[in-house]
Amino acid sequence: MQLNHLNLSVKDVPATRTLFETYFGFTCNDPKLNDTLSVLNGSDGFILVLMNQRMNEHGNHTYPDTFHIGFYLEDETAVKNMWEQLKNGGIEPEQAPQIMRKTFGFYFSFDTFMVEVTTPIKA
């Protein structure tokens, strides 16, 4: 069994699509590039669906405080480089990369969700 996809409910589909394409290597293969729905493919076959919150007028439009999506990078240098790329792109992570439990990384908020960028600390 393999996890196939994740559907994120967001306020701004185009901006969120750009985030994942620019910094996390996703590609949009959805011919209907619009502000209501985008289907993104990861390099490993994982599918990320971005759906505008307005599409579903009923239900919860907020995530729990600890909800986040995470990306593992190859080493601390890659984490630091990603932090710099995000800052240079106008995205302000709330913290600089740091040791967090047994990993090195950082979190940042975007649209309606939080992203973790981290790498395991090598012993």
Side-chain angles (χ1 to χ4, degrees), residues 5 42 56-57 65 80 93 106 121:
H5 72 278
N56 181 5
E57 296 179 11
D65 288 342
K80 291 175 185 175
F106 63 94
I121 294 176

Side-chain angles (χ1 to χ4, degrees), residues 11-14 17 32-37 51-52 54:
K11 293 177 184 174
D12 188 337
V13 171
R17 179 178 59 239
K32 303 177 297 275
L33 290 179
N34 58 50
D35 67 350
T36 58
L37 180 78
M51 183 180 291
N52 191 294
R54 293 186 313 254

